């Protein structure tokens, strides 16, 4: 064993641990979704303003929500799986918000299926979960460019599921009163979602 | 005269980089992990004997028993098996290029150069660590209730899991056979000299 061996091994270990640390944000995340959540939590991301139409056919934009906390999810109305969970969760959050008189919390479900989700489909989805604008908008961007901008800025990946539908992130995105993407949350606990949203309002 | 292994490796590298092949292999998680990544490592392995005579003697000396080399191989392969890096390789062409360069140069090549310096017990240690680790990663993919990669479906993740387990099982059987029945002569020519 020589000094050069120790030096080379030290180089390899330093470079290797450095590279793995870079790839995992300091050994905290192994998935791209986890990395995204950590990055957003550390420094909230400003969001571009995108024009959308809600289930009543009313135009609005993300900027209209300034001063309020918005919970955003991405859905498509034919979705047989996760969107149902998201819809139920949002209804429960809404119930909690009513009960807690947290008037500043808004919900926004954005459809990414621009081929199939027309106004009627958005209405139908909204009715199924008791969504009423403006507290809970079920909306679609007015054009495809807007949709692409939204998906990119929120960091949602949508891929075909191979049987005519889509696979997409089941996350709930929290937009703070300053219009920034501040948290990315799991949809599994409505009360936790509400608690985080209510904290933002204060 | 150029060593014929170099052009062969270059052609294989270019073929894997060509968009139809690259996209086809990366579209499927199992093909990405169990076909493309090993082939990129194999390119480095193929050129290693041709480049051996250019290896600086100081480097060969510092690579005592092949240990630093194998540690480097371990880091490079672990790095590109992170779900996040699989995702980024798909989404960012520069990251994919980094993968295409680093797997041959930082995994395959050092494996080819260092393996010969490693004594039999060291090689056995490497195999005995690599095989269960591969199987364990496959098991984790099967057990994960959610998608680890944003670009792959859950059923692709399960297929990738089973594929890794199958590769691990095949390697375990082969190494078992090698340990107790001996390598076939053709696979391990240095044994012929010993016999």
């Amino acid at each position: 064993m020589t000094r050069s061996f120790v030096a080379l091994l030290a180089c390899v270990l330093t470079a290797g641990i450095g590279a793995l640390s870079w790839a995992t944000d300091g050994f905290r995340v192994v998935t791209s979704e986890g990395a995204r959540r950590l990055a957003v939590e550390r420094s909230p991301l400003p969001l571009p303003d995108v024009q959308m139409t809600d289930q009543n056919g009313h135009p609005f934009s993300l900027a209209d929500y300034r001063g309020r906390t918005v919970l955003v999810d991405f859905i498509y109305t034919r979705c047989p799986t996760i969107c149902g969970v998201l819809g139920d969760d949002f209804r429960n959050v809404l119930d909690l918000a009513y009960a807690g008189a947290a008037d500043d919390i808004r919900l926004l479900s954005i459809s990414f299926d621009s081929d199939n989700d027309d106004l009627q489909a958005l209405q139908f989805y909204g009715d199924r979960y008791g969504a009423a604008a403006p507290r809970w908008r079920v909306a679609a961007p007015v054009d495809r460019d807007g949709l692409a901008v939204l998906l990119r800025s929120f960091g949602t990946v949508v891929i075909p599921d191979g049987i005519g539908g889509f696979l997409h992130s089941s996350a709930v995105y929290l937009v703070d009163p300053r219009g920034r993407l501040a948290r990315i949350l799991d949809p599994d606990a409505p009360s936790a979602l509400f608690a985080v949203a209510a904290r933002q309002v204060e | 005269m150029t060593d014929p292994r170099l052009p062969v490796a270059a052609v294989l590298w270019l073929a894997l980089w060509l968009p139809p092949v690259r996209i086809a292999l990366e579209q499927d998680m199992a093909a990405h992990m169990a076909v493309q990544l090993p082939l990129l490592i194999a390119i480095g392995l193929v050129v290693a004997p041709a480049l051996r005579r250019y290896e600086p003697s100081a480097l060969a000396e510092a690579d005592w028993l092949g240990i630093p080399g194998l540690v480097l191989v371990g880091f490079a392969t672990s790095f590109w098996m992170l779900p996040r890096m699989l995702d980024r390789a798909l989404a960012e062409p520069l990251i994919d290029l980094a993968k295409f360069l680093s797997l041959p140069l930082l995994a395959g090549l050092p494996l080819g150069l260092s393996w010969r310096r490693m004594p039999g017990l060291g090689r056995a240690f490497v195999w005995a660590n690599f095989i269960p680790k591969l199987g364990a990663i496959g098991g984790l993919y099967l057990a994960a209730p959610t998608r680890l990669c944003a670009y792959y479906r859950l059923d692709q993740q399960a297929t990738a899991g089973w594929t890794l387990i199958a590769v691990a099982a095949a390697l375990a059987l082969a190494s078992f056979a090698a340990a107790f029945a001996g390598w076939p002569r053709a696979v391990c020519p240095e044994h012929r000299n010993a016999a």
Side-chain angles (χ1 to χ4, degrees):
Chain A
M1 209 191 319
T2 61
R3 199 176 294 173
S4 65
F5 160 71
V6 176
L8 181 62
L9 188 61
C11 280
V12 169
L13 284 174
T14 311
I17 292 171
L20 285 183
S21 169
W22 174 78
T24 57
D25 285 344
F27 301 101
R28 267 174 290 212
V29 295
V30 293
T31 63
S32 41
E33 176 71 12
R36 175 93 184 148
R37 290 181 185 205
L38 192 65
V40 162
E41 229 165 282
R42 276 188 191 157
S43 61
L45 278 178
L47 292 167
D49 197 20
V50 173
Q51 300 293 321
M52 288 178 264
T53 312
D54 71 12
Q55 69 265 46
N56 299 332
H58 290 148
F60 70 100
S61 80
L62 274 182
D64 298 344
Y65 286 106
R66 286 296 147 81
R68 300 182 192 281
T69 299
V70 198
L71 293 175
V72 180
D73 65 359
F74 288 88
I75 54 119
Y76 67 110
T77 62
R78 292 175 301 135
C79 179
T81 53
I82 188 65
C83 303
V85 177
L86 287 166
D88 284 334
D89 268 7
F90 266 21
R91 184 168 48 193
N92 290 331
V93 170
L94 207 58
D95 292 344
L96 288 166
Y98 275 128
D103 279 338
D104 285 337
I105 297 176
R106 291 284 181 268
L107 306 176
L108 174 58
S109 297
I110 301 174
S111 161
F112 50 76
D113 187 4
S114 37
D115 286 334
N116 295 293
D117 284 349
D118 52 12
L119 197 59
Q120 203 184 351
L122 298 180
Q123 246 159 22
F124 185 77
Y125 183 90
D127 288 346
R128 196 186 329 164
Y129 297 105
R135 282 188 82 100
W136 182 358
R137 285 194 168 103
V138 182
V142 290
D143 55 38
R144 277 171 195 276
D145 289 345
L147 175 63
V149 167
L150 271 180
L151 292 178
R152 202 168 45 241
S153 51
F154 277 86
T156 285
V157 175
V158 177
I159 57 171
D161 68 357
I163 47 169
F166 299 99
L167 282 171
H168 57 104
S169 167
S170 60
V172 174
Y173 300 86
L174 187 147
V175 180
D176 69 10
R178 291 162 67 182
R180 304 172 307 175
L181 176 57
R183 294 286 293 274
I184 303 176
L185 304 157
D186 280 321
D188 42 35
S191 54
L193 282 182
F194 170 71
V196 176
R199 249 202 323 279
Q200 287 285 327
V201 176
E202 282 160 16
Chain B
M1 200 186 82
T2 333
D3 194 298
R5 279 172 282 221
L6 294 176
V8 167
V11 167
L12 181 56
W13 191 92
L14 275 175
L16 286 172
W17 180 255
L18 284 178
V21 181
R22 183 157 47 99
I23 291 168
L25 286 179
E26 291 180 358
Q27 222 165 36
D28 186 73
M29 192 171 173
H32 193 171
M33 292 193 77
V35 179
Q36 194 201 54
L37 302 188
L39 280 176
L40 287 171
I41 296 170
I43 289 172
L45 270 175
V46 165
V47 299
L51 296 181
R52 184 180 305 280
R53 57 196 162 119
Y54 303 110
E55 189 186 20
S57 59
L59 187 65
E61 210 167 289
D63 189 24
W64 183 61
L65 302 182
I67 292 170
L70 262 292
V71 172
L72 177 62
V73 174
F75 277 122
T77 49
S78 305
F79 184 88
W80 292 111
M81 277 198 276
L82 288 169
R84 185 190 186 189
M85 295 318 293
L86 288 175
D87 262 346
R88 291 191 68 181
L90 257 81
E92 301 167 53
L94 268 180
I95 298 281
D96 213 15
L97 183 62
K99 184 186 81 185
F100 265 75
L101 292 175
S102 65
L103 278 177
L105 294 176
L106 299 180
L109 184 60
L111 182 61
L113 293 176
S114 299
W115 191 252
R116 286 185 138 202
R117 294 192 267 266
M118 187 158 267
L121 195 60
R123 295 180 185 187
F125 175 81
V126 171
W127 276 119
N129 270 286
F130 174 70
I131 294 171
K133 191 171 139 193
L134 197 64
I137 294 173
L140 279 179
Y141 280 178
L142 284 178
T146 53
R147 296 187 298 136
L148 294 170
C149 294
Y151 289 98
Y152 292 121
R153 302 191 306 261
L154 200 58
D155 63 305
Q156 290 183 318
Q157 187 170 306
T159 307
W162 280 119
T163 307
L164 294 188
I165 289 174
V167 173
L171 288 174
L173 268 178
S175 60
F176 181 83
F180 293 100
W183 285 106
R185 289 275 187 263
V187 177
C188 205
E190 61 235 61
H191 283 191
R192 200 170 356 186
N193 304 337

